[in-house]
Amino acid sequence: MVPQGTLNRVRCSIVVPNYTTLNITAPYMGRNFATITFEGDFTKLIGTGTGGVPSPEPYVMASISVGILRTQALASSWRTQWETQGAIGAVSIFSDTAAFSEFDLSDCVIQHFDPSAYDGEDPVSRLTIMGIYNINSAMWSLT
C-alpha cells in the first residue's frame, strides 16, 4: 500500500509579496477556498506531413479565484487596492497539501470581483486574480 497523503483545507493561502496586507489565509475565505486555472496549452503539437513538431509555450495565463469574506476588513483592503492600482505584481497560491508546492505567478492584476447577493445569507464574494505562469524553462537553454 502506498500512503495516500493528507489534505489540510486551512493550509490554502494566497500571498501577495508586494502588498502583504492583501495576503489571504483560510480564516478570510469561504468554504470553497481558492482555485487556480490555466488558460491555453503548455505545449502545442504542430502537425506535419508525417507526424508532429512540439512547440513549447514560454508561459500561460493563469487565474486564481478565491471566495473572500466581505464580512471582514480584508475584502475592503482589496477594494481599496483595485480602486487605486489593479496591477499587484507577483502572487503565490499555496494548495491544501504540503506534497504539492505553490504556484508562483508574475505580472498579476485584479481581474474581477463579484460581491454576490446582499441577502444576508452569503458572506462570500468572488475575487479573480490573473497573472503569468512561466513554463517550459528548458526551452531557454541553447543546448
Side-chain angles (χ1 to χ4, degrees), residues 67-78:
I68 189 169
L69 298 176
R70 72 174 176 278
T71 55
Q72 297 172 332
L74 182 57
S76 289
S77 294
W78 276 92

Side-chain angles (χ1 to χ4, degrees), residues 6-89:
T6 303
L7 295 176
N8 178 350
R9 72 178 63 231
V10 299
R11 187 179 185 279
C12 179
S13 64
I14 297 168
V15 176
V16 187
N18 294 338
Y19 301 94
T20 57
T21 59
L22 299 178
N23 290 347
I24 308 170
T25 56
Y28 298 98
M29 296 183 205
R31 181 141 178 89
N32 289 328
F33 293 88
T35 60
I36 184 167
T37 306
F38 301 104
E39 298 178 11
D41 297 329
F42 286 20
T43 304
K44 289 184 172 61
L45 187 58
I46 302 167
T48 66
T50 59
V53 175
S55 179
E57 295 287 346
Y59 69 91
V60 291
M61 298 287 193
S63 61
I64 296 171
S65 179
V66 57
I68 189 169
L69 298 176
R70 72 174 176 278
T71 55
Q72 297 172 332
L74 182 57
S76 289
S77 294
W78 276 92
R79 179 177 177 169
T80 299
Q81 183 64 43
W82 78 63
E83 289 175 347
T84 307
Q85 173 58 273
I88 56 174

Side-chain angles (χ1 to χ4, degrees), residues 55-141:
S55 179
E57 295 287 346
Y59 69 91
V60 291
M61 298 287 193
S63 61
I64 296 171
S65 179
V66 57
I68 189 169
L69 298 176
R70 72 174 176 278
T71 55
Q72 297 172 332
L74 182 57
S76 289
S77 294
W78 276 92
R79 179 177 177 169
T80 299
Q81 183 64 43
W82 78 63
E83 289 175 347
T84 307
Q85 173 58 273
I88 56 174
V91 173
S92 297
I93 180 171
F94 292 81
S95 78
D96 54 2
T97 176
F100 199 71
S101 64
E102 78 274 5
F103 287 102
D104 300 317
L105 307 182
S106 61
D107 300 321
C108 292
V109 298
I110 301 169
Q111 183 182 40
H112 183 76
F113 185 80
D114 178 4
S116 193
Y118 293 165
D119 60 4
E121 295 193 15
D122 185 2
V124 177
S125 293
R126 184 66 44 190
L127 171 67
T128 305
I129 301 163
M130 176 71 79
I132 301 296
Y133 180 59
N134 293 308
I135 54 176
N136 293 312
S137 62
M139 72 186 288
W140 296 100
S141 67

